Amino acid sequence: MKHSILFRSLLFAWCALSIVSCGEDKNDEDTDKPVAVKSISLEPQIAMFDGDTLAIVATVLPENATSSGSITWLCSDETVATFSSGSRLVALRPGQATITAIAGAYMATSVVTVNPTRVTSVVLDNQTYQLGLFTTFTLSATVLPTNATYKTVTWTSDDTTVATVDSATGVVTGVSVGTANITATADGQSSSCAVSVVILPAQSITVGTTMAAVPTGASLNCASFFSVLPTTATYQTLSYSTADPTIATVNASGVVTFVSQGQTELFAHTTDGSNITSSPVTIYSGYSWTKYNSATSGWTVWASTVNSGYPASRIVDNNETTFWNAEWGDNVAPYPYYLLIDMQTPKTFSRLYSVRRSNNVFLRDLEYYITPLTTDGVAYNDPSFSKIGEVSYGTNSPVTDRYRDCIFLPTTYTTRYILLKIPNTNGPTITSVGVGAGDMCLAELYVYNMQ
């Protein structure tokens, strides 16, 4: 009897454990089963500004849905907005588009409106400006904010009889004396500059040479000898006169014409009422320039520095494609450099014409010296040498610098020796590898006499 009761007790316990165990297995199976998406929703209307980025939030139910984290995003017009990464929506331009979120078998849509970023102000670089008659300047406008949608600026003038403006570029032109308001407008915002158009008087006349020769029966345009400063002066036109019209005459265009042999002076005059007269240019009427043929006359040239293969004799060979070159490498010589031309016999001259090597800008300054000595073997450092002139080629721009320069001497000189000095006070610094020094070149020197 006791054994029967014990057996029944154990059987009951085993059944209870079996039931619990079966229940746990069933729960485990339910936990592993995917939870399907029942719905997905979006805000029905979404507003953005041009250029903004917004993370779009979708609500997926139930919250524990297995695929709730896997959402596909679409946009009906990707020129208006586009998804850059996941749910991040980038607004590209003003307009509307429909976005769609897809999760499982369900989807939701929302209308996205991209609004323009409006211009709040237009700022000009000048509020007032004085403009010379017949000249131009460019106004510049800054549109704020910098991310404004409609940043195109349109320019207008309230009086085009005084000043006109290019509607797209802001270039203003003075048409007549007076004042005009130039206005820049962008997206309904505007700003103006009061432009006063005035006559800018000439202040001086520069003269590019001191003498010129007009051969017998010929003429010479001398207008290029003169220029008005400042370059912004309203009236750049000059009139001309000669001191003695019986020697040479000059017309309104600056063309000097031979009348008889002799010497007179040419002047330029401003025409804007400032009554400025230039310094004179000496005109030798009935004379012409003769170039000495250095290539066939046995001239010799000594140089204080020379690189092998680029001898100093090349500056008198009548060939501008060859040139003297200073030494380069580890043994560069210090400035100044000297070139001494021995013309073998005394020559009378009043014009020197030097030519740099083409496309080389390192030779900036060149000074000319002569000596009364006519004996053989005169050295470059002889104390009898005296300076008669100099030229400056410019700075270092291949576009604007001159490669040839002429010096008209104030008088005629007679000498056997011409000494060239390169001080290079505004040239490149010498380095141990010859940068600057190694690039110091001269192609040709011409010597002229007036007859």
Side-chain angles (χ1 to χ4, degrees), residues 285-305:
S285 182
Y287 299 86
S288 60
W289 295 108
T290 300
K291 182 178 74 172
Y292 289 104
N293 193 338
S294 56
T296 60
S297 57
W299 294 10
T300 61
V301 185
W302 169 89
S304 61
T305 173

Side-chain angles (χ1 to χ4, degrees), residues 275-329:
N275 298 319
I276 297 174
T277 296
S278 71
S279 58
V281 173
T282 301
I283 298 296
Y284 295 93
S285 182
Y287 299 86
S288 60
W289 295 108
T290 300
K291 182 178 74 172
Y292 289 104
N293 193 338
S294 56
T296 60
S297 57
W299 294 10
T300 61
V301 185
W302 169 89
S304 61
T305 173
V306 63
N307 199 75
S308 177
Y310 300 90
S313 59
R314 288 184 170 186
I315 72 169
V316 292
D317 63 358
N318 279 336
N319 185 353
E320 295 181 13
T321 65
T322 64
F323 52 90
W324 157 82
N325 209 124
E327 183 180 15
W328 67 74

Side-chain angles (χ1 to χ4, degrees), residues 27-332:
N27 288 340
D28 288 343
E29 291 176 2
D30 290 343
T31 301
D32 294 338
K33 185 177 181 180
V35 178
V37 173
K38 299 298 184 182
S39 69
I40 183 171
S41 62
L42 295 171
E43 290 291 334
Q45 299 286 335
I46 298 174
M48 301 177 67
F49 284 99
D50 185 15
D52 285 352
T53 298
L54 180 65
I56 307 300
V57 177
T59 301
V60 178
L61 295 177
E63 293 181 357
N64 65 335
T66 305
S67 60
S68 63
S70 178
I71 301 176
T72 300
W73 297 92
L74 302 173
C75 182
S76 65
D77 189 343
E78 292 195 335
T79 67
V80 173
T82 187
F83 286 98
S84 63
S85 175
S87 66
R88 297 181 66 83
L89 184 64
V90 180
L92 300 179
R93 67 171 179 85
Q96 282 191 333
T98 299
I99 61 171
T100 302
I102 303 173
Y106 296 86
M107 68 179 183
T109 61
S110 176
V111 176
V112 175
T113 301
V114 178
N115 298 301
T117 300
R118 312 303 306 202
V119 173
T120 58
S121 64
V122 177
V123 180
L124 298 184
D125 58 345
N126 289 280
Q127 281 70 53
T128 61
Y129 193 88
Q130 187 179 76
L131 178 65
L133 182 62
F134 310 133
T135 62
T136 65
F137 86 106
T138 302
L139 270 172
S140 177
T142 301
V143 177
L144 297 175
T146 56
N147 65 334
T149 302
Y150 305 115
K151 298 179 67 174
T152 300
V153 176
T154 301
W155 299 88
T156 57
S157 170
D158 70 349
D159 192 344
T160 56
T161 65
V162 172
T164 61
V165 61
D166 187 290
S167 62
T169 64
V171 176
V172 183
T173 302
V175 178
S176 65
V177 174
T179 300
N181 292 307
I182 306 300
T183 301
T185 302
D187 193 19
Q189 301 296 319
S190 62
S191 184
S192 297
C193 173
V195 176
S196 299
V197 181
V198 299
I199 294 176
L200 297 178
Q203 297 178 7
S204 64
I205 301 174
T206 61
V207 182
T209 186
T210 58
M211 65 173 64
V214 181
T216 301
S219 61
L220 178 68
N221 194 328
C222 297
S224 62
F225 296 168
F226 307 96
S227 58
V228 175
L229 291 179
T231 56
T232 54
T234 300
Y235 296 102
Q236 294 286 321
T237 304
L238 294 169
S239 63
Y240 306 93
S241 65
T242 56
D244 189 348
T246 65
I247 300 296
T249 60
V250 60
N251 65 15
S253 299
V255 176
V256 178
T257 302
F258 162 84
V259 177
S260 63
Q261 190 174 60
Q263 177 181 329
T264 186
E265 292 180 325
L266 171 67
F267 298 92
H269 315 275
T270 55
T271 59
D272 63 354
S274 57
N275 298 319
I276 297 174
T277 296
S278 71
S279 58
V281 173
T282 301
I283 298 296
Y284 295 93
S285 182
Y287 299 86
S288 60
W289 295 108
T290 300
K291 182 178 74 172
Y292 289 104
N293 193 338
S294 56
T296 60
S297 57
W299 294 10
T300 61
V301 185
W302 169 89
S304 61
T305 173
V306 63
N307 199 75
S308 177
Y310 300 90
S313 59
R314 288 184 170 186
I315 72 169
V316 292
D317 63 358
N318 279 336
N319 185 353
E320 295 181 13
T321 65
T322 64
F323 52 90
W324 157 82
N325 209 124
E327 183 180 15
W328 67 74
D330 294 329
N331 299 311
V332 294

